[in-house]
C-alpha cells in the first residue's frame, strides 16, 4: 500500500510539474495573466514536494509519525488544489477571448483530470497506510 501511494504520488507530481511549467511559461506570475493566486500555486507545489520527501523518508525508516505528517500535508495540498480547481473551472468553461491570455487556460484537460484522480488516490492510499491497513 505504501509503495502504491508512492507511485500514485509520483504520477500526480508529474502532472503537477507539467501544469506548473505551463503556468510559468505562459506568464502565470505576471499580474493579470492568471486567476490562480501565486501564493496558492507555490504553497501547493512546496507542500506537495515536502510531503513526497517525507513519504520517501517514511518508506525508508518506517516511522508511523512521518506517515501522518505526510498525510496532513497532503490534506493541505488537496485543499489548495481544490481552490485552484474552483478558480480554473470558469476559465476552462467560458469561451472568451479575454481568457486566452490567462496562463491556466493552456492546461490540457486530460492532464488536469488525471492529476486530480491520482491526487485523490494518493490521499486515500496515504491515509490507509497511515492507519495501518496494507
Amino acid at each position: 500500500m505504501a509503495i502504491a501511494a508512492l507511485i500514485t504520488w509520483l504520477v500526480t507530481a508529474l502532472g503537477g510539474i507539467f501544469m506548473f511549467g505551463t503556468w510559468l511559461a505562459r506568464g502565470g506570475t505576471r499580474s493579470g495573466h492568471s486567476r490562480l493566486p501565486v501564493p496558492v500555486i507555490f504553497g501547493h507545489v512546496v507542500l506537495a514536494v515536502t510531503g513526497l520527501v517525507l513519504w520517501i523518508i517514511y518508506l525508508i525508516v518506517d516511522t508511523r509519525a512521518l506517515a501522518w505528517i505526510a498525510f496532513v500535508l497532503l490534506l493541505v495540498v488537496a485543499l489548495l488544489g481544490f481552490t485552484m480547481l474552483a478558480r480554473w473551472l470558469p476559465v476552462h468553461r467560458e469561451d472568451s477571448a479575454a481568457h486566452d491570455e490567462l496562463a491556466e487556460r493552456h492546461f490540457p484537460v486530460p492532464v488536469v483530470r488525471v492529476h486530480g484522480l491520482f491526487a485523490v488516490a494518493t490521499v486515500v492510499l496515504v491515509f490507509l497506510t497511515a492507519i495501518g491497513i496494507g
Side-chain angles (χ1 to χ4, degrees), residues 38-125:
V38 173
V40 172
I41 291 238
F42 280 95
H44 183 78
V45 170
V46 168
L47 291 175
V49 169
T50 302
L52 178 57
V53 169
L54 287 175
W55 191 254
I56 292 168
I57 294 170
Y58 160 73
L59 291 173
I60 294 167
V61 300
D62 196 26
T63 302
R64 180 82 34 116
L66 285 174
W68 281 108
I69 293 168
F71 175 70
V72 170
L73 284 176
L74 205 51
L75 288 180
V76 176
V77 169
L79 289 173
L80 293 172
F82 281 121
T83 299
M84 290 186 291
L85 178 65
R87 296 182 70 105
W88 174 80
L89 280 172
V91 170
H92 165 68
R93 288 186 176 152
E94 294 175 17
D95 192 21
S96 166
H99 289 156
D100 289 341
E101 296 298 319
L102 298 176
E104 60 272 18
R105 177 72 171 186
H106 303 280
F107 293 165
V109 174
V111 175
V112 174
R113 287 182 180 155
V114 168
H115 180 74
L117 289 173
F118 273 81
V120 169
T122 302
V123 170
V124 170
L125 291 170

